[in-house]
Amino acid sequence: MARWIAEWHPDDPAFWESSGKRVARRNLIFSIVAEHLGFTVWTLWSIVATKMGSYEFTTDQLFWLVALPNLIGSVLRVPYTFGPAKFGGRNFTVVSALLLLIPAVLLGVAVNNPDTPYWLFLVIAALAGFGGGNFASSMANITYFYPRSRQGVALGLNAAGGNIGVSSVQLVMPLVIGSLGLAAAGWFWIPFVVVAAACAFFFMDNLTSARANPREQLAVAGRAQTWIMSFLYIGTFGSFIGYSTAFPLLSQNLFPDAPYAAVAFAGPLIGSLIRPVGGWMADKLGGAPVTLWNFAAMGGGVLLVWAASTSGNFWLFFLSFQLLFLTSGIGNGSTYRMIPAIFQAKAVAERGESEESLLYGKRQASAAIGIISAVGALGGFLINRAFGMSFAAAGTPTPAFLAFGVFYVSCLALTWWCYTRTVGVKIVASLAHARV
């Protein structure tokens, strides 16, 4: 039987303290569980691709297997965003979790046959994109449960719990595959997926106030802020998921004798754990200033990684890469704090300060999250394809690293112009006054 909550007023302090906080926390916890499993299935191929030596695929073909789940996952994030508003957050979480069983089972079956063709592996890798869609529905749902003043930390925790799924895969899968064989990469996660779906069914709630017409929500695609933040999110989350999935295969090609498989989990773990800190910093200092300086650090970080990639020293390369994971995690938290702040500030400016305008802003932000997270996740696809093409054309990742550096500079400039600039605002407005 569906559980719907009709009265929900998180921005009312009395309501929040009396009952809202407890309900929101419960939904956040089990949202994290389901999203975590989504990320594990989504990024399975980052490890599986490094264990497919018997198939004699080229480096570029292997990077396609790693990149394709990112592409499909990013596309699915748009419809997944509207799932909670259409069907209820609890209901959609159950269904989206159960869909993860499809790519997990198919992977377990396919790798048991040495004659499985490359095109079929591409199809199975694409289906792993179901896990990437979960992020958008989870984040859009949790936005409604928390008051404006706590959304940075709440969304940061929700996202971090999911992001850690990348680290779980890269920590556990080499051990599981080494002990039980490559097929176990699929079978291992099935009972966990079933448990996650069951927990969502029994312990999560649907919010009546979150119901919205998808057609009305799609109107947010016409707002410039949606696309500006999408571009910036490519630089933060796109970097996180792209580097997380590319690192094992990239390291295998640059340092084939290094223990990269044993330490690949560290970067995604750092990026995931620091994400709530980025949200907290944005709550305290403003999302835009944190994002601005973070992009400057990412630009410096990619130059360090490029230099280390030519040094012949794996540990220097590994440590330099951790700076990119750290800064991408902080940027993930700060940009996601900016999204609801931007759309609620716009709603108040257009409709005045009221509970109705805040709810309208949340609906706008929830819809924008889907588009922004979808475009941002494309960064995972683009990074892996950039590495694949760099190796195919030049035998080195150097062209890709230089392109990433230029991109971070453009993200820094855009953040300054739109969200922190105080000069020339009478001619071309910015949102610096709103402290987003």
Side-chain angles (χ1 to χ4, degrees):
M1 182 176 178
R3 292 165 40 150
W4 289 90
I5 297 176
E7 294 295 324
W8 190 254
H9 310 285
D11 287 290
D12 178 352
F15 173 86
W16 179 252
E17 292 299 329
S18 64
S19 61
K21 180 165 57 177
R22 174 178 53 82
V23 175
R25 184 185 299 120
R26 171 164 48 78
N27 278 270
L28 175 62
I29 289 171
F30 293 105
S31 173
I32 289 173
V33 171
E35 191 190 343
H36 181 92
L37 270 297
F39 267 85
T40 60
V41 172
W42 191 28
T43 57
L44 267 177
W45 286 88
S46 67
I47 295 299
V48 172
T50 68
K51 306 295 183 180
M52 299 183 72
S54 61
Y55 289 93
E56 298 183 351
F57 297 144
T58 67
T59 297
D60 193 36
Q61 285 179 312
L62 292 174
F63 269 115
W64 263 112
L65 291 174
V66 177
L68 202 54
N70 290 323
L71 176 63
I72 303 304
S74 68
V75 173
L76 286 178
R77 285 184 171 194
V78 176
Y80 268 54
T81 296
F82 306 125
K86 180 69 174 178
F87 305 106
R90 163 190 176 267
N91 299 344
F92 196 78
T93 301
V94 173
V95 173
S96 61
L98 290 175
L99 285 174
L100 302 176
L101 295 174
I102 298 173
V105 170
L106 289 178
L107 172 60
V109 172
V111 296
N112 267 332
N113 182 358
D115 296 322
T116 299
Y118 178 68
W119 68 264
L120 185 55
F121 281 123
L122 287 174
V123 171
I124 298 171
L127 290 172
F130 280 137
N134 284 16
F135 177 85
S137 58
S138 180
M139 295 294 275
N141 182 45
I142 292 302
T143 297
Y144 288 101
F145 279 93
Y146 280 82
R148 180 168 46 172
S149 62
R150 298 172 185 263
Q151 286 189 353
V153 172
L155 293 176
L157 287 171
N158 190 54
N163 293 172
I164 290 175
V166 185
S167 186
S168 297
V169 163
Q170 296 183 345
L171 174 63
V172 173
M173 281 297 94
L175 302 175
V176 170
I177 293 171
S179 302
L180 303 175
L182 191 55
W187 301 122
F188 179 82
W189 299 104
I190 290 175
F192 295 101
V193 169
V194 172
V195 169
C199 287
F201 181 83
F202 288 110
F203 301 117
M204 291 185 70
D205 303 288
N206 304 308
L207 293 179
T208 301
S209 61
R211 297 298 295 267
N213 187 317
R215 183 174 298 177
E216 293 176 0
Q217 287 186 296
L218 275 172
V220 79
R223 289 186 172 261
Q225 300 300 327
T226 301
W227 299 104
I228 294 169
M229 289 305 302
S230 295
F231 188 84
L232 299 183
Y233 202 54
I234 291 175
T236 57
F237 181 77
S239 294
F240 170 80
I241 197 65
Y243 294 143
S244 295
T245 52
F247 180 82
L249 192 55
L250 180 63
S251 298
Q252 185 183 64
N253 278 273
L254 293 175
F255 306 96
D257 297 324
Y260 56 87
V263 296
F265 75 94
L269 182 62
I270 290 172
S272 301
L273 293 178
I274 203 67
R275 182 166 186 158
V277 177
W280 174 82
M281 291 170 63
D283 281 339
K284 298 296 182 182
L285 305 174
V290 174
T291 300
L292 178 76
W293 289 105
N294 193 71
F295 276 128
M298 293 186 77
V302 80
L303 291 178
L304 285 176
V305 172
W306 166 64
S309 70
T310 62
S311 69
N313 187 324
F314 170 74
W315 292 110
L316 181 60
F317 176 74
F318 170 77
L319 292 174
S320 299
F321 231 116
Q322 304 319 295
L323 177 59
L324 282 180
F325 283 117
L326 181 75
T327 51
S328 66
I330 291 173
N332 284 340
S334 63
T335 50
Y336 248 77
R337 163 60 173 76
M338 291 172 68
I339 297 168
I342 287 169
F343 285 95
Q344 289 182 37
K346 287 283 189 180
V348 169
E350 295 168 1
R351 297 171 173 238
E353 182 80 43
S354 68
E355 184 174 343
E356 289 184 1
S357 66
L358 290 176
L359 180 58
Y360 173 78
K362 283 187 177 182
R363 285 176 175 162
Q364 290 270 294
S366 176
I369 279 173
I371 296 173
I372 293 166
S373 67
V375 177
L378 278 173
F381 171 76
L382 295 173
I383 283 176
N384 278 283
R385 289 308 308 136
F387 283 135
M389 290 187 293
S390 289
F391 276 105
T396 170
T398 294
F401 284 130
L402 295 178
F404 301 156
V406 172
F407 181 74
Y408 295 141
V409 172
S410 68
C411 288
L412 184 151
L414 188 61
T415 304
W416 172 80
W417 180 262
C418 295
Y419 302 117
T420 66
R421 176 177 54 88
T422 57
V423 298
V425 293
K426 291 183 179 180
I427 302 174
V428 181
S430 81
L431 279 175
H433 66 281
R435 284 182 53 82
V436 299

